[in-house]
Amino acid sequence: MWLFKYIAFTLFVLIECKKFRFDYPNYDSEVDGWFKFHRIPAVWRDARLRCRMEGAVLASPNDFPLLGGLKRVIADNVGTSRGVYLGANARFSKGDFSSIAGVPLARMPVDWLPNEPDNLDNNEECLMMMSNGSIADVSCSRVLPYVCYKKSTPDMLINDCGTTDKEYNLEPRTGSCYKFHRVSRTWPRAYMACTAEGGHLAIINSQQEALVLKEIFANNSPAQVSINSRETMHIGIHNWNERADWTTINGEPIPEPEHHVYFQGQPDTEEFCGGMMRDGELGYSWCGVIRPFVCEMKPDSLQQEINK
Ligand SMILES: *[C@@H]1O[C@H](CO)[C@@H](O)[C@H](O)[C@H]1NC(C)=O
Ligand SMILES: [Ca+2]
Ligand SMILES: [Ca+2]
């Protein structure tokens, strides 16, 4: 009896240790990973990107366990009358459907809905799945809910910053964690990336933090940053389309800078986004320009349970 208890306890501990992040709460041993249902529907392109930014992948029924897991998630969240996007798509080449991991559709244990596939208007390069596992080809611009999947891997360790993302570093001077993104994005996409990672675009709360951000930028030379616009990085400052009314993205005032804040001269009522230049000056920037950026996260933000 004690042996049984011991084994049960050990199993319990092993299973309990399988953690990813609070919004992927339930480890599913059949798929050795976690699912997250995204209730806010999106076009396929945004669905894929959000899963990727969360460190996961837009789910596909690559094998029987994944099919079973997906069917359960769909049944629990959307019922039987609606469908969700799959990762599997034919965007690279019409008709050649395969999952994001490269598994061809012909190898997936799925059936088509009645009268599908029909490639309506020769414009259906994405797939939707119902809770019974039947699929249909649909336009990738449809707005549908979706499911992200994270496979458990041996190198998944939760670091000081509460994340498995090794690029987040804890900064003792501010108590926050930061990640510099060398792959440039527009400001809205940068905002999305930071949010998906469990944080937000870096917010300057003190002179000390302004200095920390300047140092982070300095540690990433222009040659290490992906494309043009290497001299300014996006941070969490916005003018809310109100010319000079600059605040942080949390609506807080920007701390009185020692350095000059170059926020003058922009046209009326146009949307501008805040950036920091290599010399530490803050300035405004077109939101649509792709630039490197810094995300900030509190060490407990991804692991805290939700209080309901
Ligand atoms: C799955 O459900 C749809 C309706 O939601 C139905 O049209 C289809 O025939 C079902 N597929 C199977 C294999 O039962
Ligand atoms: Ca169709
Ligand atoms: Ca901050």
Side-chain angles (χ1 to χ4, degrees):
M1 193 60 197
W2 64 269
L3 184 65
F4 174 75
K5 274 189 181 158
Y6 175 76
I7 292 169
F9 177 75
T10 310
L11 276 175
F12 176 77
V13 169
L14 280 175
I15 289 165
E16 277 302 283
C17 285
K18 295 261 183 200
K19 274 192 122 187
F20 178 37
R21 40 189 275 176
F22 79 91
D23 48 351
Y24 286 69
N26 302 315
Y27 173 75
D28 182 334
S29 58
E30 279 169 51
V31 297
D32 190 23
W34 298 261
F35 288 110
K36 175 176 176 183
F37 175 71
H38 279 268
R39 195 168 299 284
I40 300 172
V43 297
W44 188 87
R45 181 178 175 217
D46 288 352
R48 183 205 70 91
L49 184 59
R50 193 173 303 276
C51 291
R52 175 170 163 72
M53 287 171 164
E54 287 179 355
V57 65
L58 186 56
S60 295
N62 292 346
D63 51 31
F64 277 106
L66 277 169
L67 173 68
L70 263 172
K71 282 161 72 167
R72 282 193 297 278
V73 176
I74 300 169
D76 290 350
N77 289 285
V78 279
T80 55
S81 59
R82 292 170 62 220
V84 306
Y85 266 132
L86 295 181
N89 70 94
R91 291 168 59 100
F92 294 148
S93 161
K94 276 186 193 291
D96 293 322
F97 286 96
S98 68
S99 76
I100 289 171
V103 177
L105 182 59
R107 297 219 170 267
M108 292 180 200
V110 288
D111 303 308
W112 293 100
L113 283 163
N115 307 318
E116 301 283 357
D118 60 351
N119 190 19
L120 191 67
D121 297 328
N122 192 26
N123 185 38
E124 299 200 321
E125 276 110 52
C126 287
L127 295 177
M128 171 181 88
M129 191 170 101
M130 317 294 285
S131 61
N132 62 6
S134 294
I135 61 167
D137 57 351
V138 294
S139 161
C140 302
S141 51
R142 277 192 61 176
V143 175
L144 294 175
Y146 54 99
V147 181
C148 303
Y149 167 66
K150 173 68 178 181
K151 186 168 174 52
S152 176
T153 54
D155 66 339
M156 271 181 70
L157 293 176
I158 293 174
N159 62 19
D160 289 354
C161 296
T163 173
T164 57
D165 186 337
K166 297 180 178 68
E167 290 188 51
Y168 273 93
N169 292 304
L170 182 59
E171 170 52 61
R173 285 175 289 174
T174 61
S176 272
C177 295
Y178 302 92
K179 172 179 174 180
F180 183 85
H181 281 257
R182 294 180 193 86
V183 176
S184 300
R185 297 190 186 277
T186 64
W187 193 93
R189 283 299 202 211
Y191 184 102
M192 178 183 176
C194 295
T195 306
E197 287 172 359
H200 50 76
L201 270 170
I203 292 175
I204 300 175
N205 298 100
S206 62
Q207 287 306 324
Q208 180 69 269
E209 195 163 24
L211 184 66
V212 165
L213 292 179
K214 182 183 166 185
E215 286 174 14
I216 290 173
F217 205 1
N219 288 339
N220 290 274
S221 69
Q224 288 174 286
V225 175
S226 67
I227 333 185
N228 295 330
S229 304
R230 292 160 164 164
E231 298 308 318
T232 302
M233 62 180 184
H234 293 305
I235 58 171
I237 298 177
H238 206 277
N239 78 347
W240 311 81
N241 296 23
E242 297 292 338
R243 193 172 182 182
D245 191 10
W246 291 94
T247 68
T248 73
I249 46 176
N250 285 357
E252 299 152 340
I254 300 161
E256 271 307 308
E258 279 160 21
H259 39 259
H260 180 58
V261 186
Y262 185 63
F263 281 147
Q264 317 302 319
Q266 66 271 46
D268 278 347
T269 67
E270 230 181 303
E271 190 178 36
F272 281 100
C273 294
M276 177 182 270
M277 287 167 265
R278 282 199 177 270
D279 61 7
E281 285 198 4
L282 305 180
Y284 68 88
S285 159
W286 299 102
C287 301
V289 177
I290 57 165
R291 300 186 185 285
F293 56 100
V294 179
C295 301
E296 176 183 355
M297 181 158 73
K298 288 291 170 204
D300 57 0
S301 77
L302 263 186
Q303 298 304 328
Q304 248 176 2
E305 305 301 328
I306 309 170
N307 294 317
K308 280 194 174 150

